[in-house]
Amino acid sequence: CLKKGSFDDKFNAGMEYYNKKEYYKAGMIFEAISAQALGKPQMEDIKFYYAYCQYHQQAFMMSQYYFKEFTETFPRSSRTEEALFRSAESSYYQSPRFSLEQINSYRAINDLQNFLLKFPFSKFKDQADAIIRQMEDKIEFKAYTTAKQYMKIREYKAAVVVLENFRLDY
């Protein structure tokens, strides 16, 4: 399928694979024909569905990148809102468990807040709000467990400082 056939045949094959939920195969085709699609009306579909192929394969770093690229390439598309949300949601899926460094959680909160600023009445608003609350709860719990750990190891001065900071922040 990738070696022979016209651009339209390859595009249609990619869409068939996508609709059958064979995201790896669809992604391979979309990636292969994206260079040929420059200037063609199918380019928007190829970029959008390629990002979703990454998303459905749980390659969230890649899906975040490709959804963000879609929003920058097609800012007036009817799918820009959805792509921006999926990009932010992909950053949420990269957030680690509470006991690890929370840089990705802060990034997810920031991405989702930027999404809500751009699309305040979005159909994804409730989902974005729920994810933001979940990330904030995780960060708060990490701060609490850090303070508790200082108590456990009998570093009382550090525990007092950390607990006071926790009280002020939360």
Side-chain angles (χ1 to χ4, degrees):
C1 181
L2 288 175
K3 299 284 184 206
K4 51 188 165 190
S6 69
F7 170 81
D8 289 331
D9 293 339
K10 292 175 185 176
F11 175 75
N12 292 332
M15 289 306 298
E16 282 181 39
Y17 282 127
Y18 183 86
N19 292 329
K20 290 180 192 172
K21 299 181 185 210
E22 295 183 33
Y23 302 116
Y24 178 76
K25 290 179 181 178
M28 293 293 289
I29 292 173
F30 292 146
E31 185 177 26
I33 64 173
S34 66
Q36 300 168 9
L38 292 174
K40 294 185 180 181
Q42 295 95 333
M43 184 64 168
E44 183 178 333
D45 289 335
I46 290 169
K47 292 290 189 185
F48 186 73
Y49 290 115
Y50 183 68
Y52 257 119
C53 286
Q54 302 302 315
Y55 178 85
H56 289 303
Q57 293 178 78
Q58 298 181 353
F60 295 117
M61 191 177 292
M62 298 301 290
S63 69
Q64 179 184 14
Y65 173 81
Y66 287 114
F67 279 124
K68 182 101 170 114
E69 180 186 55
F70 179 88
T71 64
E72 293 167 355
T73 307
F74 303 102
R76 291 184 178 86
S77 170
S78 61
R79 296 184 262 195
T80 298
E81 175 184 338
E82 181 178 355
L84 191 59
F85 174 73
R86 294 296 177 211
S87 175
E89 185 185 36
S90 293
S91 68
Y92 155 69
Y93 286 126
Q94 296 173 59
S95 173
R97 64 181 183 268
F98 81 91
S99 61
L100 299 175
E101 179 59 48
Q102 294 300 307
I103 289 173
N104 286 336
S105 298
Y106 287 110
R107 189 174 296 133
I109 290 170
N110 187 48
D111 290 349
L112 287 160
Q113 287 174 336
N114 287 337
F115 166 76
L116 289 172
L117 285 173
K118 191 163 186 167
F119 298 102
F121 304 106
S122 172
K123 65 181 180 180
F124 300 106
K125 182 185 184 322
D126 292 339
Q127 278 181 274
D129 286 338
I131 292 170
I132 289 170
R133 278 192 304 279
Q134 183 182 357
M135 292 290 95
E136 288 172 341
D137 289 347
K138 183 194 296 189
I139 291 167
E140 181 179 348
F141 187 69
K142 177 173 177 61
Y144 171 75
T145 57
T146 300
K148 193 173 161 184
Q149 186 64 28
Y150 279 118
M151 291 292 292
K152 196 175 200 177
I153 62 171
R154 298 175 189 227
E155 290 289 339
Y156 299 117
K157 288 181 182 178
V160 168
V161 170
V162 172
L163 285 168
E164 181 61 22
N165 289 338
F166 178 81
R167 186 186 67 77
L168 292 172
D169 290 344
Y170 303 105

